[in-house]
Amino acid sequence: QQFLRSRGSHLTPQVFDPFDLHKQVVIWLPHIPETSKNHCKDVVRAMPPTARSGRRLAQPSHLDFALNILATWLLCSQVMSGLRVAHVKVIFRLLSHFNTNIAQPLAYVEWLTLFLSCAPDSPNGLISLTRSTRMHRPHAEIIALEWIVCSCHLIPHFNRVKEPHWTSENITELYQMFWVNHYIDFHFYAMFVLRRRDCT
């Protein structure tokens, strides 16, 4: 509702309003010398859980983390200073009757903290981020899908004790601190470590 108000619409979404949802967005990254053209396809998923149907087993949700460009990116001397990681929850389109003149897809995301420094804060060479909050709630926002520049792989920053209710399906929802894994992708490594701007 706050997003609609900021776009000049005075309508309030109702529980019976249908929305066009998308399971994923495919991003074609530019070719860089560090990798082949076969590794330029990137996918960010926002797939809800599905119930069991006949022989098909129930499937957990797949909600990826993604790197998003901020409005100040071109003005930043540090490449990562204008970028921010978010947990992508839903990819959707607004209905035309909301009168917002927004035709492009949108994404509902929950932000993580900003990159305060690009220097690793641990011996493993990784930077840690935590979930961002406002008023003790997740710092959430609706953004244009074009703000998403690539997927981002995060590793939970585990302590010595593992909680019994943690599973591979719910750990990204329950945990608060993560390592940014820039070793898993050539484009992300070139941007994060080599400070290249031509990777997105």
Side-chain angles (χ1 to χ4, degrees):
Q1 186 173 347
Q2 182 180 358
F3 175 81
L4 292 175
R5 294 289 186 271
S6 67
R7 298 305 188 276
S9 175
H10 298 286
L11 298 178
T12 301
Q14 304 296 327
V15 294
F16 49 78
D17 284 330
F19 287 87
D20 291 331
L21 302 182
H22 302 269
K23 293 183 177 180
Q24 63 185 29
V25 56
V26 177
I27 302 169
W28 291 98
L29 301 174
H31 175 250
I32 57 176
E34 288 79 7
T35 184
S36 70
K37 294 182 179 180
N38 296 329
H39 293 86
C40 292
K41 180 181 178 180
D42 194 13
V43 178
V44 176
R45 301 169 298 176
M47 303 171 64
T50 56
R52 180 171 182 171
S53 177
R55 295 184 177 180
R56 189 178 66 178
L57 299 177
Q59 296 294 327
S61 61
H62 295 280
L63 307 175
D64 288 337
F65 291 93
L67 198 63
N68 304 268
I69 192 168
L70 303 178
T72 58
W73 186 66
L74 294 177
L75 303 177
C76 296
S77 58
Q78 296 291 333
V79 175
M80 302 305 295
S81 298
L83 299 170
R84 189 171 186 177
V85 177
H87 201 182
V88 182
K89 296 289 187 163
V90 184
I91 300 173
F92 67 100
R93 289 180 185 269
L94 282 176
L95 298 174
S96 59
H97 76 257
F98 285 118
N99 298 321
T100 59
N101 295 321
I102 299 177
Q104 70 269 28
L106 303 169
Y108 175 83
V109 303
E110 293 181 356
W111 293 110
L112 278 76
T113 50
L114 292 166
F115 290 104
L116 299 179
S117 171
C118 288
D121 53 5
S122 70
N124 60 21
L126 304 180
I127 290 178
S128 63
L129 298 176
T130 58
R131 291 190 179 275
S132 181
T133 59
R134 282 187 174 180
M135 302 296 291
H136 306 289
R137 293 187 177 184
H139 179 190
E141 189 176 359
I142 294 176
I143 65 173
L145 197 63
E146 62 186 6
W147 287 16
I148 299 177
V149 295
C150 64
S151 61
C152 181
H153 185 252
L154 301 187
I155 304 171
H157 186 179
F158 291 113
N159 296 318
R160 295 178 180 272
V161 180
K162 179 185 179 299
E163 298 294 338
H165 59 277
W166 288 347
T167 67
S168 58
E169 287 81 17
N170 65 23
I171 187 63
T172 56
E173 299 292 335
L174 299 177
Y175 217 72
Q176 299 297 312
M177 183 176 291
F178 302 88
W179 298 114
V180 181
N181 183 11
H182 54 260
Y183 295 112
I184 199 169
D185 179 81
F186 288 108
H187 284 80
F188 200 80
Y189 182 86
M191 177 172 49
F192 198 91
V193 178
L194 304 181
R195 306 293 193 265
R196 297 265 298 275
R197 286 182 177 266
D198 59 344
C199 302
T200 60

